[in-house]
Amino acid sequence: MHSEVKGLVLRTTDVKDSDRMLSVYSAERGLISVYSRGSKSLKSRNMSTTGQFCYSEMVLYERGDKLWVQESRLIENFYNLREDIEAFAVASYACEVLEDVGTAEGDGKLLQLTLNTLFALSSGKYRIPLIKAAFEVRMCALLGLMPDVVSCQECGEREGEAFLDILEGETLCRSCHEKRQREAIALTDTERRVVCILSEGARAAFAYCLFCPAEKLLAFNVEGEDAALFCRAAEAYILNHLERSYKSLDFYYEVRR
Ligand SMILES: [Zn+2]
C-alpha cells in the first residue's frame, strides 16, 4: 500500500547496508520512522531530498512492519542553516522538540511552527535567541501549556513587571509575589518553585508570542534586558513543562560560548 506525505526530516540515522532511518513529521501521519534505501550513497536519487531539515513530498510504501521511501521530491531544504552554526543548533533543537512532542496524530500547526522557525533561522533576518524563544512559547501554547501572563493571579494587575511561576503557569505582580513569599516563609512551605521575572517588555513579548497570528510570530521586537528576561522565561517554561533536557540545546550553549 502506498501513501503520500509532505514531511519534515527531523533526524537521520544510518542503518546497515547504507540505508538510513529518517524521523519524519508530517501533518498527514504525525511522527513516523521511514527507511530510505541506500540513501547514503551518492548515487541515490533520494539523497538530496531525505537529509535532515529537508521538507519533502514523499511516496511511502509498507514492507514488513516498516515504511520505506519510494520516491521523494524536495519542497525546501533550508540549506543556509549549514552556514551558521548557531542557527543550525537552534534548528536541531526545534526538530528535537518536535520529535519529542510529536505523536502518530499529525498536527499541521506544530509542523508549520517548526517550518516557520527553520525559515526564520535560514533567512538571517532575525536574532537567533528571539527565534528560539518565540518557538518555545508558541510550542507550549500549541500543546495546551499556556501560562497566564496577562494579569496578576491574585489582584488582576496588568501593568508593570510580573513574576511568572513556571510550574503553576501563573503570574503575580510584585506586591502579591512578595506577600506570597512572606507567607511561604511563615508556613515554612518548602515546595519547589521556579519563578522568572518578566519586565514589562519581556511580559509583552511573551504574551505576543502566545496570542499573535501564526504567520506574524516574529513580527515583534524586544531589546536588552527585556530580551534576556523573555528568553530566559521562555526556555525555563518549556523545559520545566516537557520535563526533560535536549542534547541540541546543550550544543547551542556550547557554540555560543
Ligand atoms: Zn497582584
Side-chain angles (χ1 to χ4, degrees), residues 127-200:
R127 279 178 287 157
I128 291 172
L130 294 187
I131 301 173
K132 171 179 167 288
F135 168 81
E136 290 168 328
V137 170
R138 191 63 167 212
M139 178 56 86
C140 288
L142 293 178
L143 295 172
L145 302 167
M146 202 142 147
D148 180 0
V149 296
V150 175
S151 57
C152 172
Q153 185 73 17
E154 293 291 334
C155 73
E157 177 63 63
R158 288 168 167 254
E159 305 288 320
E161 66 191 338
F163 293 76
L164 172 62
D165 185 318
I166 295 290
L167 300 176
E168 296 294 329
E170 59 184 38
T171 46
L172 294 176
C173 68
R174 177 172 282 280
S175 73
C176 292
H177 168 71
E178 286 173 352
K179 184 166 165 257
R180 187 175 284 185
Q181 276 195 318
R182 284 193 300 274
E183 286 166 0
I185 292 165
L187 294 167
T188 58
D189 177 1
T190 54
E191 198 185 335
R192 178 176 162 256
R193 284 188 186 278
V194 182
V195 175
C196 286
I197 301 177
L198 291 172
S199 59
E200 200 152 5

Coordinates of all heavy atoms in Angstrom, one line a residue, residues 127-200:
R127 N 17.0 37.9 15.1 CA 18.0 37.5 16.1 C 17.7 36.1 16.5 O 16.6 35.8 16.9 CB 18.0 38.5 17.2 CG 18.8 39.7 17.0 CD 18.7 40.7 18.1 NE 17.4 41.3 18.2 CZ 16.9 41.8 19.3 NH1 17.5 41.8 20.4 NH2 15.7 42.4 19.2
I128 N 18.7 35.2 16.6 CA 18.5 33.8 16.8 C 17.9 33.5 18.2 O 17.0 32.7 18.3 CB 19.9 33.0 16.6 CG1 20.2 33.0 15.1 CG2 19.8 31.6 17.1 CD1 21.5 32.5 14.7
P129 N 18.4 34.2 19.3 CA 17.7 33.9 20.6 C 16.2 34.3 20.6 O 15.5 33.6 21.3 CB 18.5 34.8 21.5 CG 19.8 35.1 20.9 CD 19.5 35.1 19.4
L130 N 15.8 35.3 19.8 CA 14.4 35.6 19.8 C 13.6 34.6 19.0 O 12.5 34.2 19.3 CB 14.2 37.0 19.2 CG 14.7 38.2 20.0 CD1 14.2 39.5 19.4 CD2 14.2 38.1 21.5
I131 N 14.2 34.0 17.9 CA 13.5 33.0 17.2 C 13.3 31.8 18.1 O 12.2 31.2 18.1 CB 14.4 32.6 15.9 CG1 14.6 33.7 15.0 CG2 13.7 31.4 15.2 CD1 15.6 33.4 13.8
K132 N 14.4 31.5 18.8 CA 14.3 30.3 19.7 C 13.2 30.5 20.8 O 12.4 29.6 21.0 CB 15.7 30.1 20.4 CG 15.7 29.1 21.5 CD 17.1 28.9 22.0 CE 17.2 28.2 23.3 NZ 16.6 28.9 24.5
A133 N 13.2 31.7 21.4 CA 12.2 31.9 22.5 C 10.8 31.9 21.9 O 9.9 31.4 22.5 CB 12.6 33.2 23.2
A134 N 10.6 32.5 20.7 CA 9.3 32.6 20.2 C 8.8 31.2 19.9 O 7.6 30.8 20.1 CB 9.3 33.4 18.9
F135 N 9.7 30.3 19.4 CA 9.3 28.9 19.1 C 8.9 28.2 20.4 O 7.9 27.5 20.5 CB 10.6 28.2 18.5 CG 10.4 26.7 18.4 CD1 9.7 26.1 17.4 CD2 11.0 25.9 19.4 CE1 9.5 24.7 17.4 CE2 10.9 24.5 19.4 CZ 10.1 23.9 18.4
E136 N 9.7 28.5 21.5 CA 9.4 27.8 22.7 C 8.0 28.2 23.3 O 7.3 27.3 23.7 CB 10.5 28.1 23.7 CG 11.8 27.5 23.4 CD 13.0 28.0 24.2 OE1 13.1 29.2 24.5 OE2 14.0 27.2 24.4
V137 N 7.8 29.5 23.3 CA 6.5 30.0 23.8 C 5.3 29.5 23.0 O 4.3 28.9 23.5 CB 6.5 31.5 23.9 CG1 5.1 32.0 24.2 CG2 7.5 32.0 24.9
R138 N 5.5 29.6 21.7 CA 4.4 29.2 20.8 C 4.1 27.7 20.9 O 3.0 27.2 20.8 CB 4.7 29.6 19.4 CG 3.5 29.5 18.5 CD 2.4 30.4 18.9 NE 1.4 30.5 17.9 CZ 0.6 31.6 17.7 NH1 0.8 32.7 18.4 NH2 -0.3 31.6 16.7
M139 N 5.2 26.9 21.0 CA 5.1 25.5 21.1 C 4.3 25.1 22.3 O 3.4 24.3 22.3 CB 6.5 24.8 21.1 CG 6.5 23.3 21.3 SD 5.6 22.4 20.0 CE 6.7 22.3 18.7
C140 N 4.6 25.8 23.4 CA 3.8 25.5 24.7 C 2.3 25.8 24.5 O 1.5 25.1 24.9 CB 4.4 26.3 25.8 SG 6.0 25.7 26.4
A141 N 2.1 27.0 23.8 CA 0.7 27.3 23.6 C 0.0 26.3 22.8 O -1.1 25.9 23.1 CB 0.6 28.7 22.9
L142 N 0.6 25.8 21.7 CA 0.0 24.8 20.8 C -0.2 23.5 21.6 O -1.1 22.7 21.3 CB 0.9 24.5 19.6 CG 1.0 25.7 18.6 CD1 1.9 25.3 17.4 CD2 -0.4 26.1 18.1
L143 N 0.6 23.2 22.6 CA 0.5 21.9 23.3 C -0.5 22.1 24.5 O -0.7 21.2 25.3 CB 1.9 21.5 23.9 CG 2.9 21.1 22.8 CD1 4.3 20.9 23.5 CD2 2.5 19.9 22.0
G144 N -1.1 23.3 24.6 CA -2.1 23.5 25.7 C -1.4 23.8 27.0 O -2.1 23.6 28.0
L145 N -0.2 24.2 27.0 CA 0.5 24.5 28.2 C 0.7 26.0 28.4 O 1.8 26.6 28.5 CB 1.9 23.9 28.2 CG 2.0 22.4 27.9 CD1 3.4 21.9 27.6 CD2 1.5 21.6 29.2
M146 N -0.4 26.7 28.3 CA -0.4 28.2 28.2 C -0.4 28.8 29.5 O -1.4 28.7 30.3 CB -1.6 28.6 27.4 CG -1.5 29.9 26.7 SD -2.3 29.7 25.2 CE -2.9 31.4 25.0
P147 N 0.6 29.6 29.9 CA 0.6 30.3 31.2 C -0.2 31.6 31.0 O -0.4 32.1 29.9 CB 2.1 30.7 31.4 CG 2.6 30.8 30.0 CD 1.9 29.8 29.1
D148 N -0.7 32.1 32.2 CA -1.4 33.3 32.2 C -0.4 34.4 32.5 O 0.0 34.6 33.6 CB -2.6 33.3 33.2 CG -3.3 34.7 33.2 OD1 -2.9 35.6 32.4 OD2 -4.2 34.8 34.0
V149 N 0.0 35.2 31.5 CA 1.0 36.2 31.7 C 0.4 37.6 31.6 O 1.0 38.6 31.7 CB 2.2 36.2 30.7 CG1 3.0 34.9 30.9 CG2 1.8 36.3 29.3
V150 N -1.0 37.6 31.4 CA -1.6 38.9 31.2 C -1.9 39.7 32.4 O -1.7 40.9 32.5 CB -2.9 38.7 30.4 CG1 -3.7 40.0 30.2 CG2 -2.6 38.1 29.0
S151 N -2.3 39.0 33.5 CA -2.7 39.7 34.7 C -2.3 38.9 35.9 O -2.1 37.7 35.9 CB -4.2 40.0 34.7 OG -4.9 38.8 34.6
C152 N -2.1 39.7 37.0 CA -1.8 39.1 38.3 C -2.9 38.1 38.8 O -4.1 38.5 38.8 CB -1.5 40.1 39.4 SG -1.3 39.5 41.0
Q153 N -2.5 36.9 39.1 CA -3.4 35.9 39.5 C -4.2 36.3 40.8 O -5.4 35.9 40.9 CB -2.6 34.6 39.9 CG -3.4 33.4 40.2 CD -4.0 32.8 39.0 OE1 -3.6 33.1 37.8 NE2 -5.0 32.0 39.2
E154 N -3.6 37.1 41.6 CA -4.3 37.4 42.9 C -5.1 38.7 42.8 O -6.3 38.7 43.2 CB -3.2 37.7 44.0 CG -2.5 36.4 44.4 CD -3.4 35.4 45.2 OE1 -4.4 35.8 45.8 OE2 -3.0 34.2 45.1
C155 N -4.5 39.8 42.2 CA -5.2 41.1 42.2 C -5.6 41.6 40.9 O -6.3 42.6 40.8 CB -4.4 42.1 43.0 SG -3.0 42.6 42.0
G156 N -5.2 40.9 39.8 CA -5.7 41.3 38.5 C -4.8 42.4 37.8 O -5.1 42.8 36.7
E157 N -3.8 42.9 38.5 CA -2.9 43.9 38.0 C -2.4 43.5 36.6 O -1.9 42.4 36.5 CB -1.8 44.2 39.0 CG -0.8 45.2 38.6 CD -1.4 46.6 38.4 OE1 -1.8 47.2 39.4 OE2 -1.3 47.1 37.3
R158 N -2.5 44.5 35.7 CA -2.0 44.1 34.3 C -0.7 45.0 33.9 O -0.2 44.8 32.9 CB -3.1 44.4 33.3 CG -4.2 43.5 33.3 CD -5.4 44.0 32.5 NE -6.3 42.9 32.3 CZ -6.5 42.2 31.2 NH1 -5.8 42.6 30.1 NH2 -7.4 41.2 31.1
E159 N -0.3 45.9 34.8 CA 0.8 46.8 34.4 C 2.0 46.3 35.2 O 2.0 45.6 36.2 CB 0.5 48.2 34.8 CG -0.8 48.8 34.3 CD -0.8 49.1 32.8 OE1 0.3 49.6 32.4 OE2 -1.7 48.8 32.1
G160 N 3.2 46.8 34.7 CA 4.4 46.6 35.4 C 5.0 45.2 35.2 O 4.5 44.4 34.4
E161 N 6.1 45.0 36.0 CA 6.7 43.7 35.9 C 5.9 42.6 36.5 O 4.9 42.9 37.3 CB 8.1 43.8 36.6 CG 7.9 43.9 38.1 CD 9.2 44.3 38.8 OE1 10.3 44.0 38.3 OE2 9.1 44.8 39.9
A162 N 6.2 41.4 36.1 CA 5.4 40.2 36.7 C 6.4 39.1 37.0 O 7.5 39.1 36.6 CB 4.4 39.7 35.6
F163 N 5.9 38.3 38.0 CA 6.7 37.1 38.4 C 6.0 35.9 37.9 O 4.9 35.6 38.4 CB 6.8 37.2 39.9 CG 7.7 38.3 40.4 CD1 7.2 39.6 40.4 CD2 9.0 38.1 40.8 CE1 7.9 40.7 40.8 CE2 9.8 39.2 41.2 CZ 9.3 40.5 41.2
L164 N 6.6 35.2 37.0 CA 6.0 34.0 36.3 C 6.4 32.8 37.1 O 7.6 32.4 37.2 CB 6.4 33.9 34.9 CG 6.0 32.6 34.1 CD1 4.5 32.5 34.0 CD2 6.6 32.6 32.7
D165 N 5.4 32.2 37.7 CA 5.6 30.9 38.4 C 5.6 29.8 37.3 O 4.5 29.5 36.7 CB 4.5 30.6 39.5 CG 4.8 29.4 40.3 OD1 5.2 28.4 39.7 OD2 4.6 29.4 41.5
I166 N 6.8 29.3 37.0 CA 6.9 28.4 35.8 C 6.0 27.2 35.9 O 5.4 26.8 35.0 CB 8.4 28.0 35.7 CG1 9.2 29.3 35.4 CG2 8.6 27.0 34.6 CD1 9.0 29.9 34.0
L167 N 6.0 26.5 37.1 CA 5.3 25.3 37.2 C 3.8 25.5 37.3 O 3.0 24.7 36.7 CB 5.8 24.5 38.4 CG 7.3 24.1 38.3 CD1 7.8 23.4 39.6 CD2 7.6 23.3 37.1
E168 N 3.4 26.6 37.9 CA 1.9 26.8 38.0 C 1.4 27.5 36.8 O 0.2 27.5 36.6 CB 1.7 27.8 39.2 CG 2.0 27.1 40.6 CD 1.1 26.0 41.0 OE1 0.0 25.9 40.5 OE2 1.6 25.0 41.6
G169 N 2.3 28.1 36.0 CA 1.8 28.8 34.8 C 1.0 30.0 35.1 O 0.1 30.4 34.3
E170 N 1.3 30.7 36.2 CA 0.6 31.9 36.5 C 1.6 33.0 36.9 O 2.7 32.8 37.3 CB -0.4 31.7 37.7 CG 0.3 31.2 38.9 CD -0.6 30.9 40.1 OE1 -1.7 30.3 39.8 OE2 -0.3 31.2 41.2
T171 N 1.1 34.3 36.8 CA 2.0 35.4 37.2 C 1.4 36.2 38.3 O 0.2 36.2 38.5 CB 2.2 36.4 36.0 OG1 0.9 36.6 35.4 CG2 3.1 35.8 35.0
L172 N 2.3 36.8 39.1 CA 1.9 37.7 40.2 C 2.6 39.0 40.0 O 3.7 39.1 39.4 CB 2.3 37.1 41.5 CG 1.7 35.8 42.0 CD1 2.3 35.3 43.3 CD2 0.2 35.9 42.2
C173 N 1.9 40.1 40.4 CA 2.6 41.4 40.4 C 3.6 41.4 41.6 O 3.6 40.4 42.4 CB 1.5 42.5 40.6 SG 0.8 42.5 42.3
R174 N 4.4 42.4 41.7 CA 5.4 42.4 42.7 C 4.9 42.3 44.1 O 5.4 41.5 44.9 CB 6.3 43.7 42.6 CG 7.4 43.8 43.7 CD 8.4 44.9 43.4 NE 9.4 44.6 42.4 CZ 10.5 43.8 42.7 NH1 10.7 43.3 43.8 NH2 11.3 43.6 41.7
S175 N 3.8 43.1 44.4 CA 3.4 43.1 45.8 C 2.7 41.7 46.2 O 2.9 41.2 47.3 CB 2.5 44.3 46.1 OG 1.2 44.1 45.5
C176 N 2.0 41.1 45.2 CA 1.4 39.8 45.6 C 2.5 38.8 45.6 O 2.4 37.8 46.5 CB 0.4 39.4 44.5 SG -1.1 40.5 44.6
H177 N 3.5 38.9 44.8 CA 4.6 38.0 44.8 C 5.3 38.0 46.2 O 5.6 37.0 46.8 CB 5.6 38.3 43.7 CG 6.9 37.6 43.8 ND1 7.0 36.2 43.6 CD2 8.2 38.0 44.1 CE1 8.3 35.8 43.8 NE2 9.0 36.9 44.1
E178 N 5.6 39.3 46.7 CA 6.3 39.4 47.9 C 5.4 38.9 49.1 O 5.9 38.3 50.0 CB 6.7 40.9 48.1 CG 7.9 41.2 47.2 CD 8.3 42.7 47.2 OE1 7.6 43.5 47.8 OE2 9.3 43.0 46.6
K179 N 4.1 39.2 49.0 CA 3.2 38.7 50.0 C 3.3 37.2 50.1 O 3.4 36.6 51.2 CB 1.8 39.2 49.7 CG 0.8 38.8 50.7 CD -0.5 39.7 50.5 CE -1.7 39.1 51.3 NZ -2.6 38.3 50.4
R180 N 3.2 36.5 48.9 CA 3.2 35.1 48.9 C 4.5 34.5 49.5 O 4.6 33.5 50.2 CB 3.0 34.6 47.5 CG 2.9 33.1 47.4 CD 2.5 32.5 46.1 NE 1.1 32.7 45.7 CZ 0.6 32.3 44.5 NH1 1.3 31.6 43.7 NH2 -0.7 32.5 44.3
Q181 N 5.6 35.2 49.2 CA 6.9 34.8 49.7 C 7.0 34.8 51.2 O 7.4 33.9 51.9 CB 8.0 35.7 49.1 CG 8.5 35.2 47.8 CD 9.8 35.8 47.4 OE1 10.0 37.0 47.6 NE2 10.7 35.0 46.9
R182 N 6.4 35.9 51.8 CA 6.4 36.1 53.2 C 5.5 35.0 53.9 O 5.9 34.4 54.9 CB 5.8 37.4 53.6 CG 6.8 38.6 53.4 CD 6.3 39.9 54.1 NE 5.0 40.3 53.7 CZ 4.8 41.1 52.6 NH1 5.8 41.6 51.9 NH2 3.6 41.5 52.2
E183 N 4.4 34.6 53.2 CA 3.5 33.6 53.7 C 4.2 32.2 53.7 O 4.1 31.4 54.6 CB 2.2 33.5 52.9 CG 1.3 34.6 53.2 CD 0.2 34.8 52.1 OE1 0.2 34.0 51.2 OE2 -0.6 35.7 52.3
A184 N 5.0 32.0 52.6 CA 5.7 30.7 52.4 C 6.7 30.6 53.5 O 6.9 29.5 54.1 CB 6.3 30.7 51.0
I185 N 7.4 31.7 53.8 CA 8.4 31.6 54.9 C 7.7 31.3 56.2 O 8.2 30.5 57.0 CB 9.2 32.9 54.9 CG1 10.1 33.0 53.7 CG2 10.1 33.0 56.2 CD1 10.7 34.4 53.4
A186 N 6.6 32.0 56.5 CA 5.9 31.9 57.8 C 5.4 30.4 57.9 O 5.4 29.9 59.0 CB 4.7 32.9 57.8
L187 N 5.0 29.8 56.8 CA 4.4 28.5 56.9 C 5.5 27.4 56.7 O 5.2 26.2 56.6 CB 3.4 28.3 55.8 CG 2.1 29.1 55.9 CD1 1.3 29.0 54.6 CD2 1.2 28.6 57.0
T188 N 6.8 27.9 56.6 CA 7.9 27.0 56.2 C 7.5 26.1 55.1 O 7.8 24.9 55.1 CB 8.5 26.2 57.4 OG1 7.4 25.4 58.0 CG2 9.1 27.1 58.5
D189 N 6.9 26.7 54.1 CA 6.5 26.0 52.9 C 7.7 25.8 52.0 O 8.3 26.8 51.5 CB 5.4 26.8 52.2 CG 5.0 26.2 50.9 OD1 5.4 25.1 50.5 OD2 4.1 26.8 50.2
T190 N 8.1 24.6 51.9 CA 9.4 24.3 51.1 C 9.1 23.8 49.7 O 10.0 23.3 49.0 CB 10.3 23.3 51.8 OG1 9.5 22.1 52.1 CG2 10.8 23.9 53.1
E191 N 7.9 23.9 49.3 CA 7.5 23.5 47.9 C 8.4 24.1 46.9 O 8.7 25.3 47.0 CB 6.1 23.9 47.7 CG 5.4 23.1 46.5 CD 4.0 23.6 46.2 OE1 3.4 24.2 47.1 OE2 3.6 23.5 45.1
R192 N 8.9 23.3 45.9 CA 9.8 23.9 44.9 C 9.1 24.8 44.0 O 8.0 24.5 43.4 CB 10.4 22.7 44.1 CG 11.3 23.1 43.0 CD 11.9 21.9 42.3 NE 12.5 22.3 41.1 CZ 11.9 22.0 39.9 NH1 10.8 21.4 39.8 NH2 12.5 22.4 38.7
R193 N 9.6 26.0 43.9 CA 9.0 27.0 42.9 C 10.1 27.5 42.0 O 11.2 27.8 42.5 CB 8.4 28.2 43.7 CG 7.1 27.8 44.3 CD 6.4 29.1 44.8 NE 5.2 28.7 45.5 CZ 4.0 28.4 44.9 NH1 3.9 28.6 43.6 NH2 3.0 28.0 45.6
V194 N 9.8 27.6 40.7 CA 10.7 28.2 39.8 C 10.0 29.5 39.3 O 8.9 29.5 38.8 CB 11.0 27.3 38.6 CG1 12.0 28.0 37.6 CG2 11.5 26.0 39.0
V195 N 10.6 30.6 39.7 CA 10.0 31.9 39.3 C 10.9 32.7 38.4 O 12.1 32.9 38.7 CB 9.6 32.7 40.6 CG1 9.1 34.1 40.2 CG2 8.6 32.0 41.5
C196 N 10.4 33.2 37.3 CA 11.1 34.0 36.4 C 10.5 35.4 36.4 O 9.3 35.6 36.3 CB 11.1 33.5 35.0 SG 12.1 32.0 34.7
I197 N 11.4 36.4 36.5 CA 10.9 37.8 36.5 C 10.7 38.2 35.0 O 11.5 38.0 34.2 CB 11.9 38.8 37.1 CG1 12.1 38.4 38.6 CG2 11.4 40.2 37.0 CD1 13.2 39.3 39.3
L198 N 9.5 38.8 34.8 CA 9.3 39.3 33.4 C 9.1 40.8 33.6 O 8.2 41.3 34.2 CB 8.0 38.7 32.8 CG 8.0 37.2 32.4 CD1 6.6 36.8 32.0 CD2 8.9 37.0 31.3
S199 N 10.0 41.6 33.0 CA 9.9 43.0 33.0 C 8.7 43.3 32.1 O 8.2 42.4 31.4 CB 11.1 43.6 32.4 OG 11.3 43.1 31.0
E200 N 8.2 44.6 32.1 CA 7.0 44.9 31.3 C 7.3 44.5 29.8 O 6.4 43.9 29.1 CB 6.7 46.4 31.4 CG 5.3 46.7 31.0 CD 4.7 47.9 31.7 OE1 5.5 48.6 32.4 OE2 3.5 48.1 31.5

